[in-house]
């Protein structure tokens, strides 16, 4: 009796198998994202602590090399980050508050000027600037007032920050136990693989945080100097905006650069606006061709299209916080995939290897 021929040919069965794998991965990812959204109060401090640990790891390891005890080294590192981040936050917030009204007024004036030349499209820009002003005032009023909503928002932010700092302390102090703890959670046969993937993911996040922070600082200083030289109003606040938005690759640079150009257009005229645009573009060229290759680790080199898709997905899931966390999480996923490809990728065909000449 002849065997029954398969219902589907071999190529169709392979496609079906891959579709099943993709659906399974997508389902697991969707459930994971849903759980993160549901438990965001606990997940957010953990993610922020991981980013902080990745950024502060070199300082902590240097203290350990100086024979400082682990607990004291972790505490000193947390104090250092609290001082630096707190001081930077104060400078950024103070600069934005001091020059915020001037920047918004310039944006409104720019919208009015553009409306005279672009008709209906320009009117929409003017309305957008007016609405932005009202929204900022409402947000500021809510955060500063004593209403219950404003208090709860501020309280939640403070609680998240405190919990993240405590987690950074424990993550740093117990970092040498992380591999053993991770191995205890997985089957013994997969311990090496899981540890290797975790190391690659953390190295990717560490490279992203160090590189992005340095690039953001250089961008803010260079653009701030250019704005001061060109006598653009609110130069310090605009430089602070450049630093903050630099943690959102590509999109952040576009937004902060557009705001700087519009402010210059409203207060200093078309020629100065062109000079500001030239400064912004020159800094971006320096960043893309000098800073990024020198500073960013190779573990976080991702295609711009993948970065933009990650930012869009993060914004749709968790708003601004999602935009900030999307790229480091994508870098971690890229590191994991790189480790899997290294271990289980198809080896090259020996027959296709180039033969030595002669």
């Amino acid at each position: 009796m002849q065997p029954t021929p398969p219902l589907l040919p071999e190529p169709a069965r392979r496609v079906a198998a891959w579709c099943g794998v993709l659906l399974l991965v997508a389902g697991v990812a969707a459930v994971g994202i849903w759980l993160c959204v549901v438990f965001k109060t606990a997940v957010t401090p953990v993610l922020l602590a991981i980013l902080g640990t990745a950024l502060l790891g070199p300082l902590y390891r240097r203290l350990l090399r100086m024979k400082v005890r682990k607990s004291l080294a972790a505490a000193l590192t947390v104090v250092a980050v609290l001082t630096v981040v707190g001081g930077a936050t104060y400078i950024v917030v103070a600069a934005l508050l001091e020059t915020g009204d001037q920047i918004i007024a310039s944006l409104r004036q720019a919208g009015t000027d553009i409306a005279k030349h672009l008709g209906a499209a320009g009117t929409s820009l003017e309305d957008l600037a007016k609405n932005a002003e009202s929204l900022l005032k409402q947000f500021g009023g809510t955060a500063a007032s004593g209403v219950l909503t404003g208090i709860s928002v501020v309280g939640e932010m403070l609680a998240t920050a405190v919990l993240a700092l405590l987690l950074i302390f424990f993550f740093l102090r117990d970092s040498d136990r992380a591999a053993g703890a991770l191995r205890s959670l997985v089957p013994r046969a997969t311990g090496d693989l899981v540890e290797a993937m975790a190391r690659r993911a953390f190295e990717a996040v560490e490279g992203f945080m160090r590189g992005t922070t340095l690039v953001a600082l250089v961008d803010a200083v260079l653009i701030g100097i250019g704005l001061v030289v060109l006598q653009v109003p609110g130069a310090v606040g605009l430089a602070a905006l450049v630093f903050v938005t630099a943690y959102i690759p590509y999109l952040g640079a576009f937004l902060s650069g557009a705001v700087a150009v519009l402010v210059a257009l409203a207060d200093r005229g078309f020629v100065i606006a062109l000079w500001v645009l030239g400064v912004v573009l020159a800094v971006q060229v320096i960043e893309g061709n000098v800073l990024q290759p020198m500073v960013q680790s190779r573990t976080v080199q991702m295609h711009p299209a993948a970065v933009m898709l990650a930012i869009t997905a993060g914004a749709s899931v968790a708003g601004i916080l999602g935009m900030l966390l999307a790229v480091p999480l994508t870098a971690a996923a890229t590191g994991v995939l790189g480790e899997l490809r290294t271990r289980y990728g198809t080896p090259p065909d020996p027959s296709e290897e180039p033969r030595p000449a002669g």
Side-chain angles (χ1 to χ4, degrees), residues 23 40 51 108 110 131 182 186 192 210 237 257 339 345 358:
L23 287 175
K40 62 180 181 180
L51 297 182
R108 290 188 61 187
N131 292 333
L182 193 61
V186 299
D192 291 339
R210 289 203 309 264
E339 181 64 27

Side-chain angles (χ1 to χ4, degrees), residues 83-343:
T83 303
V84 174
V85 174
T89 303
Y90 174 78
I91 293 173
V92 170
V93 172
L96 291 177
L97 289 178
E98 182 180 355
T99 60
D101 292 339
Q102 192 174 15
I103 293 174
I104 292 175
S106 299
L107 290 177
R108 290 188 61 187
Q109 183 61 40
T112 304
D113 295 340
I114 294 175
K116 297 177 181 179
H117 298 87
L118 299 182
T123 304
S124 300
L125 290 174
E126 184 181 7
D127 294 339
L128 180 62
K130 292 180 180 179
N131 292 333
E133 180 183 13
S134 62
L135 288 174
L136 285 175
K137 287 183 178 179
Q138 291 177 5
F139 176 78
T142 302
S145 63
V147 296
L148 183 61
T149 303
I151 294 176
S152 63
V153 170
V154 174
E156 183 177 351
M157 292 176 61
L158 290 176
T160 300
V162 171
L163 182 56
L165 288 174
L166 292 175
L167 289 175
I168 289 174
F169 171 79
F170 290 117
F171 287 173
L172 288 172
R173 190 192 67 177
D174 301 329
S175 57
D176 55 337
R177 306 178 187 174
L182 193 61
R183 285 176 173 273
S184 66
L185 298 176
V186 299
R188 182 176 300 177
T190 60
D192 291 339
L193 174 62
V194 172
E195 181 182 351
M197 290 192 301
R199 290 185 184 279
R200 286 287 293 271
F202 187 77
E203 288 172 0
V205 175
E206 191 175 43
F208 170 82
M209 289 301 297
R210 289 203 309 264
T212 302
T213 301
L214 183 56
V215 169
L217 181 60
V218 173
D219 285 357
V221 171
L222 293 179
I223 292 179
I225 292 174
L227 295 177
V228 171
V229 171
L230 295 172
Q231 299 181 357
V232 176
V236 178
L238 292 172
L241 184 64
V242 169
F243 178 81
V244 173
T245 56
Y247 285 92
I248 306 176
Y250 304 112
L251 182 60
F254 171 77
L255 293 176
S256 59
V259 171
V261 171
L262 288 175
V263 171
L265 177 64
D267 282 83
R268 299 284 291 148
F270 183 73
V271 176
I272 298 299
L274 286 179
W275 276 103
V276 171
L277 178 61
V279 170
V280 173
L281 293 178
V283 172
Q284 294 306 314
V285 169
I286 294 174
E287 174 189 333
N289 294 278
V290 179
L291 293 179
Q292 293 286 357
M294 290 178 58
V295 175
Q296 287 282 40
S297 172
R298 292 183 178 181
T299 55
V300 295
Q301 291 297 327
M302 295 178 290
H303 195 278
V307 174
M308 293 302 298
L309 289 175
I311 293 173
T312 304
S316 63
V317 172
I320 296 178
L321 182 62
M323 295 172 69
L324 294 172
L325 295 176
V327 180
L329 291 178
T330 305
T334 303
V336 171
L337 292 177
E339 181 64 27
L340 291 175
R341 186 167 54 250
T342 301
R343 287 174 174 259

Side-chain angles (χ1 to χ4, degrees), residues 3-84:
T4 304
L7 182 62
L8 295 174
E10 180 66 21
R13 293 201 301 272
R14 290 183 178 180
V15 171
W18 276 109
C19 289
V21 172
L22 292 177
L23 287 175
L24 179 61
V25 172
V28 173
V31 172
I33 293 174
W34 177 76
L35 290 174
C36 290
V37 172
V38 171
F39 298 103
K40 62 180 181 180
T41 305
V43 173
T44 301
V46 173
L47 294 177
L48 293 177
I50 292 175
L51 297 182
T53 304
L55 180 62
L56 299 170
L59 175 60
Y60 172 73
R61 291 191 290 269
R62 175 166 294 187
L63 290 175
L64 290 182
R65 288 195 295 269
M66 296 170 61
K67 307 302 182 182
V68 179
R69 296 182 59 182
K70 291 193 298 183
S71 297
L72 180 58
L76 291 176
T77 305
V78 171
V79 171
V81 70
L82 186 61
T83 303
V84 174

